[in-house]
Amino acid sequence: MTLFTSMLSFALITLLGVLGTFLLTGLTGLFSFGQASFMALGAYISGLAVIKFNVPFPLAIIIGVASGTLCALIIGIPTLRLNRDFFSLITFGFGEAVAGLLNYFVNVTGGAMGLSGIPPKTNLLMVALSTGAVIWMVNNFRRLKFGRQCLALKNDELAAAAVGIDVYRIKLQVFIISAIITSYAGALYGFLTSYVEPAMFGWTKSAEWVIMVFFGGVNSLTGAVVAGFLLNILPEVLRFASEWRIAAYCLIIVVLLNFRPTGLFDEYELSFRRKH
Amino acid sequence: MQQVINGISVGAVYALIAVGFALVYNILKFSNFSHGGVMTVSAYFGYFLASTFHLSLLVTLALTALFGGLCAVIIELVAFRRIRNSNGPLIYYFVSSITVGMLLENIITIFKGSTFYAYPGLASNTVVRMGSITIPVMNMLMLVISGMMLLVLMWVIMKTSFGIAVRAASFDVNTSKLMGMNTSQIISLVFFVSGFLGGISGVFLGISYTLYPQIGQMVVKGWIASVLGGLGSLEGAVLGAFILGMVEVYLVSTVGAGLSSVFIFILTLVFLMFRPQGIAGNVVRDKA
Amino acid sequence: MRKIVSLMLLLVLALGLAGCGGNQNANQGKSNNTPAQTGGVAGDYILIGSLQDISSSTAAWGKGVVNGAQMAIDKINSEGGVLGKKLKLVNYDTKNDVNEAINAYNRLVNQDKVVTVMGPPTSNIGIALAPITEQKKVPIFGDFMDERATTKNDGTPWKYMFLGEPSCSQQAEISASYTVDKLQLKKIAILYNQANAYAVSHVIPFTRYVEGHGGQIVAKEIFQNTDKDLKAQLTKIKNANPDAIYVPNYLQENALVLNQAKQLGINIPIIGNNSYFYPLIDLIDKSITDVYFLNNVTFDDQEVKKFLGEYKSKFNEDAPLHAFFGYDNILVIAEAIKKAGKVDPEAVRSALENIKDVKGYTGNISIDPATHRPLGLSMWIMKIDKGKYVSLEKYLPPAQK
């Protein structure tokens, strides 16, 4: 891998995570602290399936994604009826629990020392195609009735319920889809670096993704894509600024949130059909 | 028995953080993660005072608390004031506060992160022994201070005109503004009090756990306590903090710390199924 | 849709170009001449890469390594440099993050064209980089103690990975042997951070040695990154009534354990690893005694005392142990370049494999070609005694002699 391909692959995989977050936070306003843990699940479970049980690669990815989906159901069903902060709290707890489990079963997962020796099966092309497909899918979601219902419930849950939208059901669906995208991203990631460790998927990573979504504009898919991409490449480009780059990056975001709270792209979409 | 004391002392640490956290939640209805940043900066500021001027614990605490209050007011001005004026949704505050927290932590890492520091000679290790039981003085102090702060705050909120204004604002910021209240001033004051508590927590955390840039990440414990405690209810936050501390210590002493995070996750899930309004039972409507 | 994709591709291109441009500017800022084509040489300088965390949770160590390395480079340059050229360190921040480190390594190789990379003192990054070095063929010499960073599962070494200090299991065995064989303490409790790879990879070989040599682990208590109050774990350990407690975590966590054990009135010996050096002594209660730990250097060495003094006057802080690692890493790398006779990663790699007797602060470093780890590097046992470090002896367990 050259610097260019490795940078690009990592950026695209993070972009997948950001897209999952965009669906969840951008469409329903929910804030998940455990989003990165779905990535951990995808990476670990599919990686372990190949290492320990010699499962073929495509099947391993499906297993990884399925386990992410299952966990989303377990978290979503009891909490999505409650206040949004409880959802954030539970997803945080979920993240801690996943990290705890990965650290605890040292013999299976390698514990804090990480899981190494995952065969490198993904490449830039595969990551790029997946990202393209997911962008296409998310874009379609938003255009469908489903997406419009989401926007309605994000803006006013009570009103949305009053006009007959099943708020709970929609939230659950969105949460599951975002979990699927994120755990898929995780599976790709594991087979790209061939090494994963629990510390990669902490709650700060989930928070970073949400920040990226807001940077681009919480109502704009184009914004999320550009921001997810830009903010991943930016630190690498700014490398000569070394230790100051994270601080600079945070500062830009605080300024942006205050002076242009709708993000860089507001509701702008790069498309012919939806012009505002 | 020692484990009960351990649980209470952990709870005392969390409670102090949780009250500062809950105050802001109470008014603006969002989880203010910049509180962690305030604690970090204050912890280092307190260290600077204590090591340069050799101040006593009480003076250090008082000055740092003022400093923390000031920090929080500035953060409110910089990071939240404009969002509030443009009537932005809650999640904007939330994201802004997390970013500010990260920013402060990073600035400290850049300037002070090349080594670790400990508060000089502030009796951090003094304990009271009763038979086989050990009670750390620092934790006792934290307990007393968070208890006192809570009582003072309750009195202020229930009995003074400022308190009435706070309660009104907490009920509905926009309406109280329409009624002619200077909500900006009240919110600044609330942030000051929250930062004041953050400053105190910062010093205590620094004394008990040494200084390191990530010290403010303890804020998540305060967050858990205050959300579980009943979404910004002050009594609930304190109660939540002690329950959290006790449960953590209990889990460590039974199943061990390895799986305690898993048990805490399951317990929270079950708890919320039976009591979806949190411990104190405040019902807060999402106004998104 | 097509537009989104094309926009993305455009962005990629633009940023890629910006990346190259920005980097060239950075290089020009550092050296007077534009980077030359030959590997590792930019103008009159030989470039040595470095991957250290300077802005995240392990920044205290990363900065120590960089400072120590810079001291070595200044010294070598003042004596005329290597192969007639001066050395220059190009350090990139890893944020203690594997992704960042991989990107930074690729950048050091592709753009700065460094001849060798000084690795971080954290194993996770070493393990993740090992397979990548096989493709990029630029050696990494560093202090990632976990064996998996230097040898593959089948025991053969990663061709381009080299360790500069005794590995985790060597160090853990020294601690275990000193406890069981020398101090004759048999009932041992362990308290460690389960989320910390450094701690976990000490605990496994330590347990194996103790149990194989007549000792017994009576309690194994763990904690997580966010746990700062460890009295619950310590109370449990106290009730198990051990002869000693093994505490192999990062420095700041060790300080917490020592202080809180003191608070609970636990007065048995505590056995540590090589993360008890400065500034730990300033973080703990002055009445704490009976703490035995490993160290790569000793104060009995006048040179070490001199280094500590120089470091303090230069950076206004006590040198962490990692400063010595940084210094010695550069000595070894410089020696390898000298031996290779040319500034070429492949030649330097072969030279690194056969390094013999480089006199560093941490001992005479010779690399074992079979494992890519140092050969027979002994460690010092030090003791903390009421606010002071005391050097006890150089110790090797009977099995490692």
Side-chain angles (χ1 to χ4, degrees), chain A residues 48 55 63 106 115 161 232 249 273:
Chain A
L48 283 171
V55 172
I63 296 175
V106 180
L115 182 66
N232 264 292
Y249 168 100
R273 289 181 221 185

Side-chain angles (χ1 to χ4, degrees), chain B residues 18-20 22-23 26 150 153-154 157 230 232-239 282:
Chain B
V19 175
L23 256 178
N26 207 325
L150 188 67
L153 275 174
M154 293 293 224
I157 285 176
S233 135
L234 294 185
E235 324 78 283
V238 174
L239 209 59
N282 276 15

Side-chain angles (χ1 to χ4, degrees), chain B:
Chain B
M1 184 57 202
Q2 179 69 51
Q3 294 293 26
V4 177
I5 304 282
N6 291 342
I8 293 174
S9 53
V10 173
V13 178
Y14 294 171
L16 200 52
I17 304 172
V19 175
F21 201 88
L23 256 178
V24 173
Y25 194 107
N26 207 325
I27 306 270
L28 290 176
K29 304 284 177 273
F30 77 97
S31 301
N32 175 23
F33 274 80
S34 66
H35 196 64
V38 172
M39 295 195 314
T40 312
V41 176
S42 310
Y44 278 85
F45 180 78
Y47 168 78
F48 166 74
L49 288 182
S51 61
T52 331
F53 304 110
H54 307 287
L55 301 174
S56 69
L57 175 61
L58 233 56
V59 182
T60 310
L61 266 181
L63 288 176
T64 313
L66 288 175
F67 172 81
L70 211 64
C71 275
V73 171
I74 293 169
I75 289 173
E76 195 268 329
L77 272 178
V78 175
F80 305 125
R81 179 63 58 90
R82 284 184 141 269
I83 299 178
R84 193 157 50 75
N85 286 343
S86 62
N87 237 331
L90 288 180
I91 192 146
Y92 281 42
Y93 293 91
F94 197 32
V95 174
S96 192
S97 79
I98 288 180
T99 321
V100 170
M102 276 167 63
L103 179 67
L104 292 177
E105 182 186 315
N106 205 255
I107 288 176
I108 291 286
T109 314
I110 291 170
F111 287 110
K112 285 278 153 205
S114 57
T115 186
F116 301 99
Y117 304 90
Y119 273 71
L122 290 179
S124 58
N125 249 4
T126 331
V127 291
V128 176
R129 281 188 219 288
M130 298 197 309
S132 63
I133 306 227
T134 310
I135 305 166
V137 170
M138 270 303 140
N139 294 104
M140 261 164 53
L141 251 167
M142 285 171 97
L143 190 65
V144 170
I145 289 187
S146 44
M148 258 166 43
M149 283 292 161
L150 188 67
L151 287 179
V152 171
L153 275 174
M154 293 293 224
W155 179 79
V156 168
I157 285 176
M158 286 304 163
K159 300 284 180 200
T160 62
S161 58
F162 168 66
I164 294 171
V166 169
R167 271 186 292 156
S170 122
F171 190 70
D172 191 332
V173 176
N174 291 331
T175 314
S176 36
K177 196 173 180 180
L178 287 178
M179 306 296 274
M181 267 166 54
N182 186 346
T183 46
S184 290
Q185 214 170 48
I186 287 164
I187 287 170
S188 285
L189 259 170
V190 167
F191 266 89
F192 179 80
V193 177
S194 153
F196 189 86
L197 290 168
I200 295 176
S201 327
V203 175
F204 276 123
L205 289 179
I207 292 174
S208 312
Y209 304 137
T210 75
L211 280 176
Y212 57 102
Q214 290 80 24
I215 196 168
Q217 290 191 3
M218 289 284 274
V219 76
V220 296
K221 303 285 190 183
W223 171 61
I224 296 170
S226 80
V227 173
L228 269 188
L231 299 167
S233 135
L234 294 185
E235 324 78 283
V238 174
L239 209 59
F242 280 104
I243 293 176
L244 183 67
M246 299 281 227
V247 168
E248 277 188 3
V249 168
Y250 176 75
L251 285 174
V252 167
S253 66
T254 49
V255 297
L259 289 178
S260 66
S261 60
V262 181
F263 280 90
I264 286 180
F265 170 64
I266 295 170
L267 282 176
T268 332
L269 212 56
V270 172
F271 172 77
L272 285 181
M273 277 186 210
F274 288 105
R275 203 169 164 80
Q277 66 275 51
I279 296 166
N282 276 15
V283 180
V284 180
R285 264 253 146 252
D286 247 330
K287 283 186 226 102

Side-chain angles (χ1 to χ4, degrees), chain C residues 120-336:
Chain C
T122 39
S123 298
N124 299 37
I125 290 175
I127 296 170
L129 281 173
I132 296 169
T133 54
E134 300 270 296
Q135 302 164 19
K136 314 289 281 195
K137 304 192 188 306
V138 172
I140 304 184
F141 187 89
D143 296 289
F144 17 72
M145 288 165 61
D146 194 315
E147 276 85 359
R148 290 190 297 162
T150 35
T151 44
K152 301 176 190 165
N153 288 337
D154 60 4
T156 57
W158 290 105
K159 208 174 160 199
Y160 296 89
M161 301 293 289
F162 297 91
L163 176 66
E165 63 164 328
S167 71
C168 268
S169 38
Q170 278 174 306
Q171 298 203 13
E173 277 177 14
I174 298 175
S175 306
S177 164
Y178 193 80
T179 318
V180 180
D181 304 331
K182 175 91 186 194
L183 297 173
Q184 291 291 321
L185 302 167
K186 304 290 186 188
K187 282 163 64 190
I188 296 158
I190 303 178
L191 178 57
Y192 69 104
N193 179 353
Q194 200 182 28
N196 183 340
Y198 170 77
V200 180
S201 52
H202 274 82
V203 168
I204 298 164
F206 183 91
T207 309
R208 200 190 310 129
Y209 189 94
V210 168
E211 287 175 345
H213 291 77
Q216 189 194 354
I217 305 292
V218 292
K220 209 177 215 176
E221 287 301 317
I222 58 181
F223 59 96
Q224 310 283 354
N225 280 333
T226 46
D227 298 338
K228 298 295 166 196
D229 200 305
L230 310 171
K231 290 195 211 74
Q233 286 90 332
L234 282 165
T235 305
K236 250 177 115 179
I237 286 177
K238 193 181 182 187
N239 293 339
N241 214 3
D243 299 333
I245 314 176
Y246 181 51
V247 187
N249 306 295
Y250 277 166
L251 187 143
Q252 185 244 353
E253 294 162 342
N254 292 337
L256 293 182
V257 173
L258 291 179
N259 280 336
Q260 293 177 14
K262 181 81 196 168
Q263 286 177 16
L264 289 172
I266 299 174
N267 289 316
I268 52 176
I270 288 180
I271 312 294
N273 54 348
N274 71 344
S275 57
Y276 281 63
F277 202 58
Y278 285 121
L280 180 112
I281 200 87
D282 303 324
L283 303 182
I284 58 169
D285 193 296
K286 295 291 166 270
S287 62
I288 289 174
T289 181
D290 263 355
V291 178
Y292 301 88
F293 67 99
L294 292 182
N295 211 29
N296 304 62
V297 298
T298 166
F299 298 120
D300 291 350
D301 190 339
Q302 287 308 314
E303 291 291 311
V304 167
K305 276 194 181 151
K306 216 174 113 202
F307 180 93
L308 288 172
E310 263 174 49
Y311 189 99
K312 188 152 192 173
S313 65
K314 208 162 181 172
F315 303 106
N316 200 22
E317 260 161 15
D318 283 323
L321 185 60
H322 298 77
F324 293 99
F325 292 155
Y327 193 97
D328 284 3
N329 286 345
I330 292 296
L331 287 191
V332 173
I333 291 170
E335 175 69 20

